């Protein structure tokens, strides 16, 4: 971001226009120009309908006697996801240039650690935004007044502006990960893991949005994102050299991770197995967008449980690996200390023998004289 096109660092030579290097160096400015085309389109009467399809939400289902505006979903939401995917690329570039790059100048990191630092910084900003956004929705829409709120009046076809945009932004952010693989020059061997991570998150947000499980969906995403905020903050502290803060944050994270997984499992079982069962239908009603059939409900619960089990399994494997590494490190340190003690003892004994020999030679010289 900024004024003028960038040049290759350490060189006064301008890169060729429309080359890969040119696009990568100036992708934030290019994405901004693309977004401005749609925004300018709102200023003209002939292009307003087309431009508004990419910027403003559609499918308003508010009735005249309703004080709150409600929206549902449709095919035109693809245009929204496309526009806000470009906006997410701009958001990514702004965070990178004006926050992370400035922090990187204060710490010296290897290329691998620098990539992890940037990744945690980007995800921390997104997770923090999502957490505050979800809290705002909870406050405005009266979440947690009663547990039955999660299944009462299903299907929850009508979404408020903030709720609809929450899911649009979730899908757009995970979609923008794909072009960022090219823009950030991610290594080919690292791409599958990143694509799988982004694809899973995108699919989860999309299914929650389409199946009208918005209330339980936002709550589960809030639980997951809150823990991820602490995790990526801890990683940033670790890479910044603030090891004491990082250790304490990681300890809290280890406890909260287990508790949040259990909370997600408990809440999912209550909602999908018991709550929604009271208003279950035999088959899916696409006209009313009612997906509360036994198959969909059971499948959704199984997917949530499998995801929690998968994350818990990875967490356990990581902790076991860390314990093994710490035990090896401690044993190496103990062996090193033992060797150092032996070396010091050998040195002291050699010094004592040398002193004894010198005293003996001195006494013999005195006697000969």
């Amino acid at each position: 971001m900024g004024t003028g096109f960038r040049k290759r660092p350490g060189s006064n030579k301008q890169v060729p226009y429309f080359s890969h290097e040119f696009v990568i160096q100036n992708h934030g400015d290019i994405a901004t120009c693309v977004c401005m085309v749609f925004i300018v389109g709102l200023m003209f009467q002939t292009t307003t309908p087309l431009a508004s399809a990419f910027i403003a939400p559609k499918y308003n289902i508010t009735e005249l006697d309703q004080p709150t505006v409600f929206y549902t979903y449709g095919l035109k939401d693809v245009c929204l996801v496309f526009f806000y995917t470009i906006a997410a690329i701009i958001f990514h570039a702004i965070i990178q240039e004006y926050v992370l790059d400035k922090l990187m100048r204060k710490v010296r990191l290897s290329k691998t650690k620098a990539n992890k630092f940037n990744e945690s910084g980007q995800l921390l900003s997104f997770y923090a935004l999502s957490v505050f956004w979800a809290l705002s929705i909870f406050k405005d829409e009266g979440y947690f007044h009663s547990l039955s709120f999660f299944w009462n009046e299903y299907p929850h076809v009508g979404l408020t502006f903030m709720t609809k945009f929450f899911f649009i932004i979730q899908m757009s952010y995970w979609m923008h990960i794909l072009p960022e693989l090219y823009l950030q020059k991610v290594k080919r061997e690292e791409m599958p893991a990143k694509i799988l991570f982004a694809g899973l998150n995108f699919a989860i947000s999309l299914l929650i949005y389409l199946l009208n499980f918005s209330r339980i969906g936002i709550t589960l995403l809030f639980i997951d994102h809150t823990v991820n905020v602490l995790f990526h903050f801890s990683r940033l502290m670790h890479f910044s050299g603030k090891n004491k803060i990082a250790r304490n944050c990681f300890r809290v994270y280890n406890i909260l991770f287990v508790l949040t997984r259990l909370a997600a499992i408990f809440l999912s079982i209550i909602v999908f197995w018991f709550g929604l069962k009271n208003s279950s239908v035999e088959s899916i009603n696409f006209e009313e967008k009612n997906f509360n059939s036994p198959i969909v409900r059971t499948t959704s619960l199984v997917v949530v449980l499998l995801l929690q089990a998968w994350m818990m399994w990875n967490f356990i494997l990581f902790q076991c690996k860390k314990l093994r590494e710490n035990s090896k490190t401690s044993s190496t340190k103990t062996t090193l200390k033992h060797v150092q003690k032996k070396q010091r003892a050998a040195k002291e004994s050699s010094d004592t023998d040398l002193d004894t020999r010198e005293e003996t030679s001195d006494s013999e010289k005195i006697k000969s004289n």
Side-chain angles (χ1 to χ4, degrees):
M1 306 297 291
T3 58
F5 292 119
R6 289 173 178 72
K7 299 177 182 179
R8 187 182 287 108
S11 174
N12 293 325
K13 185 179 178 181
Q14 180 116 11
V15 297
Y17 291 118
F18 305 113
S19 64
H20 291 287
E21 193 66 27
F22 177 84
V23 173
I24 291 171
Q25 289 183 14
N26 300 283
H27 69 272
D29 300 303
I30 295 171
T32 303
C33 292
V34 174
C35 286
M36 288 302 298
V37 170
F38 291 100
I39 294 172
V40 171
L42 294 174
M43 301 173 63
F44 301 96
Q45 187 174 1
T46 55
T47 57
T48 296
L50 179 61
S52 63
F54 288 87
I55 300 175
K58 299 296 181 182
Y59 305 106
N60 189 329
I61 59 172
T62 309
E63 297 180 1
L64 294 176
D65 58 342
Q66 289 181 318
T68 306
V69 179
F70 290 101
Y71 299 88
T72 187
Y73 60 81
L75 287 177
K76 290 183 179 179
D77 289 341
V78 176
C79 300
L80 284 175
V81 173
F82 172 77
F83 178 82
Y84 287 100
T85 297
I86 301 174
I89 294 175
I90 300 172
F91 175 78
H92 189 115
I94 291 173
I95 295 296
Q96 185 66 45
E97 182 169 351
Y98 294 104
V99 180
L100 297 178
D101 285 349
K102 291 183 177 180
L103 292 175
M104 284 284 291
R105 296 190 191 104
K106 298 179 181 180
V107 293
R108 295 181 179 179
L109 299 174
S110 63
K111 188 175 181 180
T112 303
K113 289 185 177 181
N115 291 335
K116 292 181 180 180
F117 181 90
N118 291 329
E119 181 185 28
S120 288
Q122 294 289 347
L123 289 173
L124 174 62
S125 59
F126 169 70
Y127 286 135
L129 174 64
S130 300
V131 166
F132 286 114
W133 198 326
L135 286 173
S136 176
I137 294 173
F138 295 160
K139 179 182 177 183
D140 295 339
E141 300 187 20
Y143 277 60
F144 310 119
H145 285 172
S146 65
L147 197 59
S148 60
F149 173 82
F150 291 103
W151 57 81
N152 282 344
E153 301 176 359
Y154 183 87
H156 307 137
V157 178
L159 303 177
T160 62
F161 176 85
M162 292 293 288
T163 302
K164 182 179 176 71
F165 249 76
F166 178 86
F167 287 107
I168 294 296
I169 294 301
Q170 292 289 316
M171 290 183 284
S172 300
Y173 184 85
W174 298 118
M175 182 64 71
H176 106 284
I177 297 295
L178 299 180
E180 285 293 342
L181 297 176
Y182 164 73
L183 297 173
Q184 300 297 326
K185 298 181 179 180
V186 176
K187 295 179 181 179
R188 188 177 297 273
E189 58 269 18
E190 297 178 0
M191 285 186 179
K194 292 182 181 293
I195 292 173
L196 176 63
F197 177 69
L200 280 175
N201 282 280
F202 176 83
I204 291 169
S205 300
L206 178 63
L207 289 174
I208 293 171
Y209 187 62
L210 294 180
L211 298 178
N212 292 317
F213 294 140
S214 57
R215 295 180 181 179
I216 179 63
I218 290 179
T219 306
L220 292 177
L221 290 176
F222 169 78
I223 292 172
D224 181 70
H225 291 359
T226 302
V227 179
N228 286 329
V229 166
L230 182 59
F231 172 73
H232 289 289
F233 175 78
S234 303
R235 283 224 303 181
L236 288 179
M237 292 296 102
H238 171 69
F239 292 130
S240 299
K242 299 179 180 178
N243 294 325
K244 186 176 180 180
I245 298 176
R247 282 195 300 270
N248 293 331
C249 290
F250 275 125
R251 290 192 186 104
V252 177
Y253 165 77
N254 292 336
I255 297 171
L256 287 181
F257 183 89
V258 177
L259 293 178
T260 51
R261 300 284 77 84
L262 295 175
I265 291 171
F266 172 78
L267 186 61
S268 299
I269 293 174
I270 293 296
V271 174
F272 287 108
W273 191 257
F274 296 104
L276 289 171
K277 188 176 181 180
N278 298 326
S279 58
S280 178
V281 293
E282 294 183 0
S283 60
I284 299 172
N285 190 333
F286 290 99
E287 293 183 0
E288 297 180 359
K289 298 181 179 178
N290 190 339
F291 298 92
N292 189 18
S293 66
I295 295 176
V296 174
R297 196 172 61 252
T298 305
T299 303
S300 300
L301 178 59
V302 170
V303 169
V304 173
L305 296 180
L306 287 177
L307 282 173
Q308 304 305 317
W310 178 61
M311 288 188 286
M312 196 66 198
W313 175 250
N314 289 333
F315 177 79
I316 293 171
L317 290 179
F318 175 79
Q319 294 298 326
C320 293
K321 181 181 177 181
K322 191 175 179 181
L323 287 173
R324 285 196 299 268
E325 290 176 353
N326 291 337
S327 63
K328 287 181 181 179
T329 304
S330 61
S331 63
T332 303
K333 289 181 178 179
T334 304
T335 305
L336 183 61
K337 287 180 180 179
H338 188 63
V339 171
Q340 289 175 348
K341 285 182 179 179
K342 283 187 175 180
Q343 289 176 349
R344 283 197 298 267
K347 186 178 179 181
E348 289 175 357
S349 62
S350 63
D351 291 342
T352 304
D353 293 341
L354 183 61
D355 293 339
T356 304
R357 289 174 185 175
E358 289 178 352
E359 290 177 358
T360 304
S361 62
D362 291 341
S363 62
E364 288 178 354
K365 287 180 182 179
I366 293 171
K367 291 179 179 179
S368 63
N369 291 333

